[in-house]
Amino acid sequence: MTLTHPKAPSMATLACLQSALSTLRTTHHAVPAITHITRRKASHQAQGRANGAKDGAGKRLGAKKTGGEYVVPGNILFRQRGTHWFPGDNCFMGRDHTIHAGSPGYVRYYQDPARHPKRKFIGIVFEKTQSLPQPTHAARRRQLGMLAYQMPTPPQPEIATDETSAAPTKVSDGTTVSIRNSKMNPGGLQLTLGPGYQYRQSNYEIGRSGDKKEAAANAKGKTIRAFAKFKPGDRFAAWRKSVVRVARSRERKVMGRGGKGGAKKKN
Amino acid sequence: MTLQRASRPVAHCLRQSSSTRHARTLATTPIDPSPPTPHYHHHPTPSPAPATPSQPARPPQRSSSLSRSNAPLGPEDAFQEARAFLQEDRREKLEAIGLQRVKIARLQDRVVVGEQNGEVERRKQREKDNRVRSMGRRLEEMKVMADINDPMVKKRFEDGQGDMTKPIYRHLANTQWHSYKRQILLQRLTQMNVMPDVLPALDPIVSTGLAFPTTSSTTPTRSRLKRVQHGDFVPSALSSQTPTLWIQPYNKGTRLCTVAVINPDVPNVEKDGFDHRCHFLAVNLPISPINTRVRLGELGSTSESKGDVLLPWLPAYAQKGAPYQRMSIIILEQPSPTLTPIVTTLLGAVAESRELDVTSASQDPRYNTRDGFNLRSFVDRYGLKAVGADLFRTKWDEGTAGVMQQAGIVGWDVEFRRKRVEPLPYQRKASERYR
């Protein structure tokens, strides 16, 4: 008895299939006329999602110093995403919720229901025998962490005068300097020390300088105006002003932006 | 809505009236055959729909207490009705207060008798005292309730003209203090850890205010007072002067208080920690709801300012580089001479406080030295109760050196710098690049 094998598709069918699939082919290797039939895998769910979240490399989060270890300020105690643990006594939290030691001592992991009913804290104690949380209503344990030195240049102690300069002298205290008759200050302006450590006229003084000059000239019967005050309807005065303005702007254009721009352009 | 509210006192009045009145005083249909249609010209809100059962479509007929004219009622009539209603309510409350006083007097007159040689008698006496005390508390509440609806009382209080000898103004001031300023004070005290460091617990029941004298260049002869908020940084030049303290209690009676200014942040390099220092201590200061100002610099010197100063004012200072130092001002009430430590009497007033023995306190080595002053021990020794607190902070500024020199304090040229902590050993790699 001959075994009935599954009938292979005819040549014609295969050729049709090949021509149909040739357009989808990305590579253009020399393909034999007849391709061998490849076995396809049973399921393709094992491939996974096309656009799903890929698992990345491990970020080495977690505790870096165990309870009881001696640490110095700055040491990282716990790396985390979010606040699984909160900074307790003498600890601080960085911008990515990393808990650092704030003072030298021994690490303690603890809960403090008085501070928060559910949170877990990491704190530092100064001696190995101490524990956290600190007893309620007891004076807190604090460390100075400083040494006393003689000041290299002792401050000039100002006898506390009964002035309202009780507040520390700020930069914008209004200390005025008037360097009159000086090359730097030909106008004899009143310059005050402002924020940014620059000596300058105050803005309102700059704004009012024009008005002040006009008032001073008016007192002498003169004016600093180039043209007379505008009179609506006086077309002759307006034409005169316009002629002067146009001539000046033409001159400026010829001169160019820089001082020797006009001369340069000609070259 | 206004009409509904306005008609309630009228409705109440009419309900109280006897049945001899007209059966149809409040009617939806006109009693008279041809009445004019009502218009409320006074207020722009439209009159509500007549479908609501509690509101008649036309204005209610006036009771005989008002005029018999058929002109429509306006807001001024509603106001007068409301006033009358409140006055009636106040009269009822005053009657109740009188009754309560009689009850308390009768209860106090009752003699306690018991067998078993004291055991039952003591228990009955305690029960009687409890009853009298709670009745006294109720009496104080009733006094407040009688006046709380009075708009003139509210106006006087808001204008600052309230008489603090009256319970209603004390109650209003206390409520106002509780609503905001006391919360701010508690926030400052807890956030800056005054509570566990200086005293274990503190429940403020008196409000405090602090101001330092300053002489400006414009008024060199007269000294102005600069107010300081709770927890403020005070410049050293300002805090070198003895301040003025305002202590406002809200229960009646005069009591004797102790004021202590404690600095719990004095740096101590030897023990690598902090010490306490007392900057001011005064006892036997009489404080009452009307007598609130305490000029700490003038205590005991004049006849009007009574009080004994044990430690005069030491200017607040913080050396350069040291962290800021908290100056906590604690107000403690001295106990009453009775055996029981309960401060309030049976009728709610403050009991006579016992004067503290100044000579014994000034000779006690624990309490006559500034450095290492333990306030907890002082409170326990004399049975004091913390009733109020204030706080300001001090740090190094340009004037601190001058202030310390003037006060003769050693260490004006000392600065503090952080101790260098050796880093922990770690494995160094071979190359210079991995330092």
Side-chain angles (χ1 to χ4, degrees):
Chain A
M1 193 84 167
T2 52
L3 292 164
T4 49
H5 296 282
K7 242 189 173 166
S10 63
M11 290 300 177
T13 332
L14 283 173
C16 273
L17 192 65
Q18 193 179 2
S19 65
L21 290 173
S22 67
T23 53
L24 295 168
R25 228 167 256 144
T26 52
T27 56
H28 298 281
H29 300 309
V31 184
I34 297 155
T35 53
H36 291 287
I37 295 163
T38 51
R39 276 192 84 99
R40 293 168 71 199
K41 292 213 171 121
S43 72
H44 53 81
Q45 210 167 14
Q47 302 286 321
R49 304 276 172 277
N51 297 318
K54 307 279 187 293
D55 191 19
K59 294 296 168 197
R60 282 87 170 136
L61 304 172
K64 304 297 171 211
K65 298 284 182 208
T66 53
E69 266 196 75
Y70 179 75
V71 291
V72 296
N75 277 16
I76 293 175
L77 307 178
F78 203 95
R79 284 250 190 220
Q80 53 186 353
R81 293 281 170 271
T83 45
H84 295 278
W85 293 84
F86 284 85
D89 288 5
N90 305 311
C91 286
F92 62 94
M93 195 155 78
R95 56 170 288 271
D96 61 348
H97 310 110
T98 304
I99 295 180
H100 299 257
S103 63
Y106 303 90
V107 182
R108 291 278 185 270
Y109 290 77
Y110 66 103
Q111 280 194 298
D112 190 354
R115 201 158 156 182
H116 196 278
K118 287 188 197 170
R119 285 183 182 174
K120 303 179 294 191
F121 296 92
I122 306 177
I124 304 247
V125 290
F126 304 121
E127 275 147 56
K128 262 206 158 136
T129 50
Q130 290 167 347
S131 73
L132 285 168
Q134 296 193 35
T136 44
H137 305 308
R140 294 176 303 153
R141 293 183 216 122
R142 294 181 288 155
Q143 213 175 47
L144 177 62
M146 291 188 180
L147 293 170
Y149 295 86
Q150 192 79 20
M151 271 195 224
T153 47
Q156 300 307 313
E158 332 149 356
I159 308 299
T161 49
D162 299 327
E163 301 261 341
T164 39
S165 63
T169 46
K170 293 178 201 157
V171 174
S172 53
D173 202 16
T175 49
T176 44
V177 170
S178 62
I179 330 164
R180 294 176 204 274
N181 310 321
S182 148
K183 260 183 270 182
M184 284 193 294
N185 187 7
L189 301 165
Q190 196 81 343
L191 302 173
T192 55
L193 185 63
Y197 293 96
Q198 47 173 330
Y199 282 93
R200 62 189 287 278
Q201 260 190 311
S202 15
N203 283 343
Y204 82 94
E205 276 173 5
I206 295 168
R208 290 189 63 201
S209 62
D211 292 335
K212 270 183 147 178
K213 281 196 186 134
E214 178 69 14
N218 286 351
K220 292 186 193 159
K222 295 182 203 171
T223 178
I224 58 170
R225 297 174 71 95
F227 299 99
K229 200 158 181 283
F230 174 70
K231 256 186 255 158
D234 188 356
R235 292 311 311 151
F236 184 43
W239 174 82
R240 280 202 316 268
K241 192 169 168 182
S242 154
V243 160
V244 168
R245 184 166 21 102
V246 163
R248 199 185 297 143
S249 66
R250 202 182 294 133
E251 197 187 313
R252 260 201 234 117
K253 221 175 172 181
V254 162
M255 289 296 286
R257 287 275 169 83
K260 297 160 190 173
K264 270 188 184 168
K265 267 187 185 169
K266 277 178 189 168
N267 288 343
Chain B
M1 198 57 196
T2 16
L3 175 60
Q4 192 177 13
R5 277 230 193 102
S7 65
R8 264 199 230 137
V10 178
H12 172 84
C13 212
L14 293 170
R15 256 182 273 125
Q16 301 274 324
S17 64
S18 61
S19 56
T20 52
R21 298 208 187 278
H22 294 286
R24 286 192 71 202
T25 43
L26 269 171
T28 50
T29 52
I31 296 169
D32 294 322
S34 59
T37 46
H39 290 292
Y40 289 93
H41 302 288
H42 319 286
H43 41 97
T45 51
S47 47
T52 42
S54 59
Q55 286 175 73
R58 46 162 304 162
Q61 293 294 312
R62 288 195 188 129
S63 62
S64 60
S65 59
L66 300 171
S67 66
R68 281 223 174 261
S69 70
N70 284 338
L73 290 172
E76 59 274 359
D77 301 300
F79 183 81
Q80 295 305 323
E81 282 297 318
R83 264 192 78 229
F85 179 75
L86 289 175
Q87 279 165 359
E88 177 60 40
D89 179 63
R90 187 165 184 274
R91 243 174 277 130
E92 286 171 17
K93 283 183 175 148
L94 290 176
E95 275 174 30
I97 286 170
L99 269 172
Q100 185 81 351
R101 285 209 161 105
V102 165
K103 276 191 207 168
I104 292 172
R106 229 185 291 150
L107 180 58
Q108 280 187 313
D109 289 340
R110 214 185 287 173
V111 176
V112 163
V113 169
E115 322 90 27
Q116 290 185 24
N117 194 24
E119 176 63 48
V120 171
E121 191 171 333
R122 270 200 298 276
R123 182 174 55 82
K124 282 193 176 173
Q125 180 65 37
R126 246 184 309 167
E127 279 170 9
K128 178 191 161 187
D129 285 347
N130 283 339
R131 274 192 70 194
V132 172
R133 208 175 297 118
S134 61
M135 287 174 87
R137 251 182 276 129
R138 176 80 189 125
L139 177 66
E140 290 298 309
E141 277 173 27
M142 289 162 98
K143 284 185 199 170
V144 168
M145 288 298 122
D147 287 323
I148 202 142
N149 292 321
D150 192 349
M152 284 310 294
V153 163
K154 185 168 189 279
K155 179 205 177 289
R156 261 180 246 124
F157 172 70
E158 282 167 6
D159 291 344
Q161 291 156 9
D163 181 11
M164 282 304 200
T165 55
K166 304 253 161 41
I168 178 65
Y169 295 109
R170 285 201 302 271
H171 166 83
L172 289 171
N174 196 14
T175 314
Q176 195 184 52
W177 178 58
H178 264 82
S179 68
Y180 184 68
K181 287 207 170 139
R182 184 179 178 276
Q183 294 180 33
I184 294 272
L185 174 68
L186 270 176
Q187 184 201 51
R188 305 282 148 90
L189 293 174
T190 46
Q191 280 185 347
M192 288 171 208
N193 292 301
V194 169
M195 308 287 235
D197 288 349
V198 177
L199 282 177
L202 203 151
D203 180 32
I205 54 175
V206 303
S207 69
T208 47
L210 185 69
F212 287 93
T214 171
T215 48
S216 64
S217 50
T218 47
T219 57
T221 47
R222 208 156 42 93
S223 78
R224 277 172 39 242
L225 284 174
K226 179 139 175 62
R227 270 320 264 258
V228 165
Q229 302 303 320
H230 305 310
D232 262 359
F233 277 105
V234 177
S236 47
L238 207 61
S239 59
S240 60
Q241 313 298 321
T242 316
T244 302
L245 191 62
W246 283 271
I247 305 170
Q248 173 72 68
Y250 297 105
N251 44 3
K252 68 181 176 190
T254 310
R255 79 282 344 257
L256 295 177
C257 285
T258 299
V259 171
V261 179
I262 306 289
N263 177 359
D265 295 327
V266 178
N268 186 334
V269 179
E270 281 86 33
K271 79 169 197 188
D272 198 18
F274 298 90
D275 288 335
H276 288 222
R277 190 198 294 132
C278 179
H279 282 250
F280 183 81
L281 186 60
V283 296
N284 304 330
L285 308 171
I287 305 292
S288 73
I290 45 169
N291 181 23
T292 61
R293 186 166 57 183
V294 180
R295 287 207 180 91
L296 300 183
E298 292 166 20
L299 287 175
S301 52
T302 56
S303 59
E304 23 180 77
S305 57
K306 295 182 201 117
D308 305 303
V309 176
L310 294 176
L311 293 168
W313 179 260
L314 178 72
Y317 62 91
Q319 282 150 310
K320 187 171 183 184
Y324 69 76
Q325 305 193 1
R326 302 161 286 169
M327 304 288 299
S328 56
I329 300 158
I330 313 289
I331 293 124
L332 307 147
E333 204 173 291
Q334 284 161 214
S336 63
T338 56
L339 289 167
T340 49
I342 300 158
V343 185
T344 53
T345 57
L346 301 177
L347 282 179
V350 158
E352 274 294 310
S353 311
R354 180 174 40 206
E355 272 211 13
L356 235 129
D357 190 6
V358 181
T359 42
S360 79
S362 56
Q363 281 160 15
D364 197 329
R366 294 177 293 178
Y367 311 127
N368 63 0
T369 45
R370 289 188 194 274
D371 297 313
F373 188 94
N374 192 343
L375 187 67
R376 288 177 191 228
S377 148
F378 188 78
V379 163
D380 287 339
R381 164 71 183 81
Y382 293 107
L384 304 170
K385 179 193 166 205
V387 292
D390 206 331
L391 175 70
F392 71 93
R393 293 183 281 175
T394 182
K395 59 183 176 187
W396 172 266
D397 54 40
E398 279 97 5
T400 308
V403 163
M404 285 175 78
Q405 273 206 325
Q406 273 201 312
I409 299 162
V410 175
W412 59 271
D413 57 351
V414 167
E415 69 173 358
F416 286 88
R417 272 182 248 154
R418 278 197 60 184
K419 228 193 280 186
R420 189 181 181 268
V421 182
E422 286 298 322
L424 291 175
Y426 57 93
Q427 205 169 32
R428 313 266 172 157
K429 299 219 171 167
S431 166
E432 185 54 47
R433 203 162 80 96
Y434 307 105
R435 249 182 307 120

